[in-house]
Amino acid sequence: MSEFLEKLSRALGDTRVQLVTTAVAASAVTAGVMWGTRKARRTRQTWRLKHDAKDMLSLDGNGFGSPAETHASAESLAVTKHTPVHLSPNEELLIQEQLARHYVFFGQEGMAKVRDSFVVVVGAGGVGSWAALMLLRCGVQRIRVIDFDQVTLSSLNRHAAATRANVGTPKVEALKQGFADIAPHAVVEARVALFSAETAAGLLAGEPDYVLDCIDNMDTKTDLLEFCKSHGLEVISAMGAGMKSDPSRVQIADISDTFEDPMSRAVRRRLKLRGIMGGVKVVYSTEKPGKVQLLSLAESQRDEPGDFSVLPDFRVRIVPVLGTMPAMFGVAMATHVLTELAGFPTEPLPVKGRFALYSRMQCDLGVREARMPLEAGGPRLQMRADDCGYMLEEIWRGRSAISGSIERLTFARWRRDQPMATYNCVCMTKPEADRHEKLAGNLEDHYAAETLEYIERRLDEEKQLSKWR
């Protein structure tokens, strides 16, 4: 034992050992201080977020704003059409200089309308954040931004205001903080809440002049659009910016006039089931999808994919997004809203569709129907070119229902013993239609079971939708 202590004493007396020991001790102390500082910072940030959240909304059992209860402080922070904007004479001069080029563009009267407006942006992601940012920069002084989600690292490729410091914080709070540096006079309500049919009345209260729908969940989007239509609120909706890359294809149109966009098609069909045939302006892209695909689910997610969704009924698979495209959608929405608010006339250029193709298919269908006997409903054809366009784009996705081909398309009556209707008319190639007209007996004897199932399912859906056409 004494020998060990003697060796230890000699080692500690070595200058090099003393230096190493000192360095190790200093590193340990430094690490402890850094860890303690970070922990304290996280604790303060967590407390601040909880404190802000309690001030913003009453929480229900799921952690989102309860439609049944409204917190008193949330009411005091709520922005409405009549919320006063306080500006001193000197501040007004600064704002007029900041918006000088817009005053030249819209004029005094137009800018007065813009600055007196109240706008609600639902969804503060890639599209909504840019729309809200440009509305603020261009003079809108009363804005409510609604979103339940938080900033992640992957948000930074497309969010208008978020930085790394905002990761883990609500997207709407990141926006509000950024807005304060641009237009400190503006009254901005950052509402951390999940939009739903139940919360719609409260979240869209306050007499908004315009509502911008930047939601990417299909059912929630439909609920919002239905609420706005039924309550006479002006609304513009963003369709899918994911998996798109061609800026020249971004368009503004009525949802009834859109084509080539799967989200527009899906929303349009849902609205029709609720009796809404059109009158909803949308920003969408005519770029054909298919260049990139959704990221595949991990092996562990395939059995119960719903368990990995952020919320029930929200998508699980990740949509590839080129960060510039959501920004273009948002800026296009903001531009349209600004011109509408200012009373500045614009005429969105209608996209040159495929009307010549629809007309040719109508004529071809008329020729085929003329060969039908009178007892089968021929030769009277009550199909317009628009009907043919609807069937081609909406029901059959611009492809043959038999082979999936997009070449030499035409229409043929599916079941020849039933009257011609949109729900008894199938898109095929011309050779397929020629063969179909010569078939005898049951269709089940001539087509594969998968083909029959697909066609019958699409026709059944159209039969239900045709009640609204």
Side-chain angles (χ1 to χ4, degrees):
M1 184 67 178
S2 59
E3 185 178 345
F4 170 76
L5 292 175
E6 184 179 350
K7 289 181 179 180
L8 179 62
S9 177
R10 285 200 302 270
L12 293 175
D14 191 318
T15 305
R16 288 175 297 178
V17 173
Q18 290 176 349
L19 289 174
V20 170
T21 304
T22 302
V24 171
S27 298
V29 171
T30 302
V33 171
M34 291 176 63
W35 181 84
T37 302
R38 290 178 180 174
K39 183 177 180 180
R41 187 180 302 157
R42 285 196 298 267
T43 301
R44 286 197 303 270
Q45 187 177 27
T46 301
W47 179 88
R48 191 183 306 115
L49 287 175
K50 290 180 178 179
H51 183 269
D52 290 345
K54 288 179 181 178
D55 286 343
M56 290 298 294
L57 68 159
S58 176
L59 298 178
D60 65 7
N62 294 320
F64 298 111
S66 170
E69 299 179 4
T70 304
H71 199 280
S73 60
E75 290 182 351
S76 63
L77 293 173
V79 179
T80 73
K81 171 72 173 175
H82 307 290
T83 300
V85 177
H86 301 290
L87 283 170
S88 68
N90 288 337
E91 288 174 323
E92 177 61 28
L93 289 175
L94 288 175
I95 299 304
Q96 295 236 0
E97 178 62 25
Q98 187 172 329
L99 300 172
R101 300 196 181 194
H102 286 89
Y103 272 99
V104 174
F105 195 95
F106 287 137
Q108 290 287 338
E109 184 179 349
M111 276 306 298
K113 294 177 181 178
V114 170
R115 294 185 62 184
D116 192 47
S117 64
F118 167 45
V119 176
V120 177
V121 181
V122 186
V127 177
S129 64
W130 279 99
L133 174 66
M134 294 314 299
L135 288 171
L136 179 92
R137 285 189 180 277
C138 294
V140 176
Q141 300 178 137
R142 300 173 185 85
I143 301 177
R144 180 184 299 149
V145 190
I146 303 166
D147 202 312
F148 73 94
D149 207 1
Q150 295 181 335
V151 177
T152 63
L153 277 174
S154 65
S155 306
L156 302 185
N157 82 322
R158 58 195 181 277
H159 197 276
T163 66
R164 284 194 177 186
N166 298 125
V167 171
T169 65
K171 290 179 178 178
V172 292
E173 288 294 341
L175 271 179
K176 185 174 182 177
Q177 291 171 16
F179 287 1
D181 294 329
I182 300 168
H185 68 285
V187 283
V188 179
E189 179 184 355
R191 188 75 72 89
V192 184
L194 176 66
F195 186 92
S196 66
E198 291 75 24
T199 62
L203 294 177
L204 300 182
E207 303 176 47
D209 295 287
Y210 235 104
V211 176
L212 283 74
D213 162 36
C214 306
I215 301 173
D216 56 9
N217 177 267
M218 209 80 69
D219 294 328
T220 309
K221 179 180 288 288
T222 308
D223 289 339
L224 185 149
L225 295 176
E226 181 184 24
F227 183 90
C228 289
K229 290 293 291 181
S230 63
H231 289 78
L233 297 177
E234 290 290 338
V235 63
I236 184 169
S237 179
M239 297 291 109
M243 300 191 291
K244 304 291 177 70
S245 60
D246 188 348
S248 68
R249 302 299 186 93
V250 179
Q251 305 285 337
I252 297 177
D254 190 280
I255 195 167
S256 61
D257 296 328
T258 59
F259 65 98
E260 300 288 8
D261 181 46
M263 179 177 276
S264 297
R265 182 186 302 118
V267 173
R268 182 167 55 245
R269 293 174 75 87
R270 282 170 166 79
L271 289 175
K272 285 181 178 178
L273 290 173
R274 303 188 189 195
I276 300 173
M277 310 306 295
V280 176
K281 296 172 187 174
V282 299
V283 176
Y284 78 108
S285 171
T286 61
E287 182 179 358
K288 289 180 179 292
K291 294 179 183 177
V292 293
Q293 303 296 327
L294 293 171
L295 295 187
S296 300
L297 293 173
E299 192 69 33
S300 60
Q301 294 176 317
R302 290 176 182 168
D303 293 336
E304 297 291 342
D307 293 345
F308 297 89
S309 177
V310 177
L311 291 169
D313 302 323
F314 276 62
R315 65 166 182 252
V316 179
R317 298 175 68 185
I318 297 174
V319 178
V321 179
L322 182 61
T324 53
M325 293 305 291
M328 291 192 66
F329 274 54
V331 172
M333 294 178 80
T335 303
H336 183 78
V337 170
L338 286 166
T339 56
E340 291 279 294
L341 294 174
F344 190 86
T346 59
E347 297 179 7
L349 180 66
V351 178
K352 292 183 178 179
R354 301 196 280 179
F355 193 77
L357 171 63
Y358 306 153
S359 298
R360 193 266 299 163
M361 296 181 76
Q362 179 199 25
C363 292
D364 190 50
L365 181 59
V367 171
R368 292 182 184 278
E369 284 296 298
R371 298 196 288 262
M372 294 291 293
L374 286 174
E375 57 270 19
R380 297 180 300 277
L381 178 67
Q382 297 179 346
M383 291 276 189
R384 302 173 302 170
D386 287 344
D387 296 321
C388 292
Y390 167 79
M391 291 191 293
L392 177 65
E393 308 293 357
E394 300 295 321
I395 304 176
W396 305 113
R397 309 292 197 265
R399 298 176 179 275
S400 163
I402 308 298
S403 62
S405 174
I406 60 173
E407 303 295 333
R408 301 181 64 196
L409 297 177
T410 189
F411 291 116
R413 190 186 297 206
W414 180 237
R415 296 194 179 275
R416 298 175 66 79
D417 59 341
Q418 296 179 14
M420 167 57 72
T422 56
Y423 47 85
N424 190 35
C425 187
V426 175
C427 181
M428 310 176 183
T429 64
K430 285 189 175 181
E432 290 167 347
D434 292 339
R435 288 194 296 271
H436 181 78
E437 288 183 337
K438 298 174 183 178
L439 297 179
N442 296 323
L443 295 176
E444 291 76 5
D445 298 331
H446 302 281
Y447 292 108
E450 307 85 62
T451 302
L452 287 169
E453 190 277 332
Y454 169 72
I455 291 176
E456 294 295 346
R457 175 165 50 84
R458 299 300 298 167
L459 293 177
D460 286 343
E461 288 179 7
E462 169 54 23
K463 189 169 186 179
Q464 296 300 317
L465 289 173
S466 64
K467 298 175 182 179
W468 302 102
R469 297 191 76 231

